[in-house]
């Protein structure tokens, strides 16, 4: 009988040295992993669950696996190198279209914090202060403006391309993969990119460095609603359907820990949350940048994790378009709120 990588991950290390450990410790030794990328405050909820000890409380030995773009979580989950992923809601839909059906377990963001668009400082100074004006710009060689998402197919790409397409400007820009801040920022400064997609923390850093300015900002009231019709699942925690079917107790424990982290963030002052995550994860990032990103969700989200059917259906605008490779998907086929409901009932 062969054992798949996923079955081995679910089993964890509990089998190793089983005869040497008491039963109570064995019950607490299930290994789990959460994949996402890059290391940014937008993905802080898993970090908070770890630092507050919620994973341990639920009998889990959790590991965070990070990459350079949002697509890393999707790729790592698909490869069987992680049990859970944190990323754009389009990613589990993309995996389902590729024969790896997923279940979305809860949302961690309902207004997109990374649909913001920044242009080079010199372009902004020349009067390019809107999406429309950026689309009209021509590079010195006559080429279309270059806009960088973290990766082609990433959440920044899904939302960014839609912003242009919604204005009839989809064919007026060239999209490239820019990676994380270590490549995005200098490429904007050196004019390799004319614009970049940016979460709030990047906006703070880029503007402080004088590399660029924001021309599309979803933190401003009405901006996201105007283009997308209202709140929709943006960032989600998801797993393969196989994992749900093979170990419901493990999935429940994981959702419990994440839900408790959300409840903590909702109740705690922003400064307390920032003080918790900064030493281990964000010590090299401008504190104002970390605060901006953590504060975005404080002002736009209820921290309940809920995805209802109307919100999911609003996702049709950015998801089901040419180039996304996402077929129309029924809410019931991909969203499973049962684990979240159980967590909310347990931790009222």
């Amino acid at each position: 009988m062969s054992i798949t990588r996923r079955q081995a991950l679910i089993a964890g290390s509990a089998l190793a040295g089983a005869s040497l450990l008491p039963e109570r410790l064995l019950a607490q030794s299930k290994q789990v992993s959460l994949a996402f990328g890059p290391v940014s405050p937008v993905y802080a909820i898993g970090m908070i669950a770890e630092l507050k000890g919620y994973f341990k409380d639920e009998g889990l030995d959790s590991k965070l696996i990070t990459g350079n773009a949002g697509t890393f979580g999707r790729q790592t989950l698909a490869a069987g190198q992680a049990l859970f992923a944190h990323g754009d809601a389009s990613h589990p839909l993309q995996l389902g279209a590729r024969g790896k059906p997923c279940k979305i377990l809860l949302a961690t963001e309902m207004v997109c914090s990374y649909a913001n668009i920044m242009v080079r400082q010199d372009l902004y100074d020349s009067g390019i202060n809107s999406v429309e004006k950026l689309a009209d710009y021509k590079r010195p060689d006559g080429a279309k403006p270059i806009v960088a998402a973290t990766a082609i197919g990433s959440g920044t790409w899904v939302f960014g391309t839609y912003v242009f397409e919604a204005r009839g400007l989809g064919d007026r820009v060239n999209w490239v993969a820019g990676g994380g801040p270590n490549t995005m920022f200098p490429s904007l400064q050196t004019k390799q990119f004319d614009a970049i997609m940016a979460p709030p923390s990047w906006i703070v850093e880029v503007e402080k460095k004088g590399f660029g300015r924001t021309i599309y900002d979803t933190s401003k009231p009405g901006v996201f609603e105007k283009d997308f019709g209202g709140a929709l699942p943006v960032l989600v925690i998801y797993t393969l359907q196989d994992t749900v079917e093979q170990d419901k107790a493990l999935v429940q424990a994981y959702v419990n820990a994440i839900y408790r982290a959300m409840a903590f963030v909702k109740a705690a002052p922003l400064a307390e949350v920032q003080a918790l995550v900064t030493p281990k994860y964000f010590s090299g990032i401008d504190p104002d940048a970390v605060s901006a990103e953590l504060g975005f969700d404080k002002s736009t989200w209820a921290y309940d994790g809920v995805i209802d059917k109307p919100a999911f259906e609003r996702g049709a605008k950015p998801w089901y378009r040419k180039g996304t490779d996402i077929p129309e998907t029924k809410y019931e086929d991909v969203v499973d709120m049962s684990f979240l409901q159980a967590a909310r009932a347990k931790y009222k």
Side-chain angles (χ1 to χ4, degrees):
M1 175 182 176
S2 63
I3 298 176
T4 67
R5 178 192 292 269
R6 180 152 300 277
Q7 289 169 329
L9 280 171
I10 292 173
S13 63
L15 296 178
S19 62
L20 303 178
L21 295 173
E23 184 176 347
R24 185 177 65 83
L25 289 179
L26 283 175
Q28 297 177 346
S29 62
K30 283 192 174 181
Q31 291 186 335
V32 294
S33 48
L34 178 68
F36 58 88
V39 177
S40 164
V42 76
Y43 297 114
I45 206 70
M47 307 170 199
I48 292 166
E50 174 202 48
L51 294 168
K52 291 293 290 183
Y54 297 145
F55 289 127
K56 287 185 178 179
D57 289 350
E58 297 293 335
L60 303 174
D61 179 9
S62 181
K63 179 181 179 182
L64 303 181
I65 307 172
T66 62
N68 199 39
T71 51
F72 176 82
R74 181 192 70 197
Q75 294 161 350
T76 306
L77 185 77
Q81 296 170 349
L83 281 179
F84 299 90
H86 189 185
D88 191 85
S90 65
H91 295 168
L93 303 181
Q94 291 167 347
L95 286 180
R98 297 168 188 173
K100 290 185 177 291
C102 295
K103 289 296 183 182
I104 296 174
L105 304 171
L106 55 86
T108 66
E109 188 169 89
M110 296 293 286
V111 171
C112 189
S113 64
Y114 47 84
N116 308 304
I117 302 171
M118 303 191 75
V119 298
R120 292 177 359 220
Q121 185 67 47
D122 64 302
L123 295 183
Y124 188 88
D125 291 342
S126 71
I128 297 177
N129 57 8
S130 70
V131 173
E132 291 79 6
K133 290 180 180 179
L134 174 60
D136 285 339
Y137 169 72
K138 293 291 187 292
R139 291 176 63 82
D141 61 359
K144 301 173 186 178
I146 296 173
V147 184
T150 53
I152 302 302
S154 67
T156 54
W157 178 86
V158 168
F159 281 94
T161 54
Y162 178 77
V163 169
F164 282 90
E165 288 180 16
R167 290 160 172 73
L169 304 172
D171 61 349
R172 302 275 290 278
V173 298
N174 287 324
W175 287 89
V176 297
N182 291 337
T183 49
M184 282 279 211
F185 296 177
S187 295
L188 192 67
Q189 179 192 21
T190 58
K191 303 183 181 181
Q192 294 179 61
F193 302 155
D194 301 306
I196 64 171
M197 303 301 298
S201 60
W202 293 10
I203 290 176
V204 171
E205 291 194 85
V206 169
E207 291 190 346
K208 279 191 174 183
K209 294 175 185 294
F211 295 167
R213 293 288 296 276
T214 308
I215 62 170
Y216 184 84
D217 186 352
T218 59
S219 70
K220 293 183 177 179
V223 170
F224 189 79
E225 290 77 5
K226 180 180 178 180
D227 281 330
F228 296 92
L232 57 92
V234 176
L235 281 172
V236 299
I237 301 289
Y238 62 100
T239 188
L240 292 183
Q241 184 173 308
D242 285 349
T243 302
V244 173
E245 293 172 350
Q246 291 169 16
D247 198 335
K248 286 183 169 59
L250 180 145
V251 175
Q252 186 62 66
Y254 204 86
V255 172
N256 287 351
I258 295 294
Y259 177 73
R260 293 176 68 190
M262 292 192 299
F264 163 75
V265 176
K266 181 178 181 179
L270 178 60
E272 182 179 343
V273 177
Q274 186 167 346
L276 174 69
V277 295
T278 294
K280 183 172 182 178
Y281 291 105
F282 306 123
S283 59
I285 300 178
D286 186 324
D288 291 339
V290 177
S291 179
E293 198 144 316
L294 294 174
F296 180 92
D297 286 335
K298 279 277 192 181
S299 63
T300 60
W301 185 42
Y303 288 95
D304 57 9
V306 173
I307 304 170
D308 60 23
K309 192 170 183 178
F312 181 82
E313 291 177 345
R314 279 193 288 273
K317 286 185 174 182
W319 297 338
Y320 310 139
R321 296 178 289 124
K322 183 179 179 181
T324 64
D325 298 324
I326 302 174
E328 290 195 25
T329 307
K330 293 181 180 179
Y331 172 85
E332 296 80 6
D333 290 343
V334 70
V335 178
D336 187 344
M337 291 283 97
S338 65
F339 297 99
L340 177 63
Q341 291 166 358
R344 295 177 71 187
K346 182 175 182 179
Y347 296 104
K348 292 182 179 179

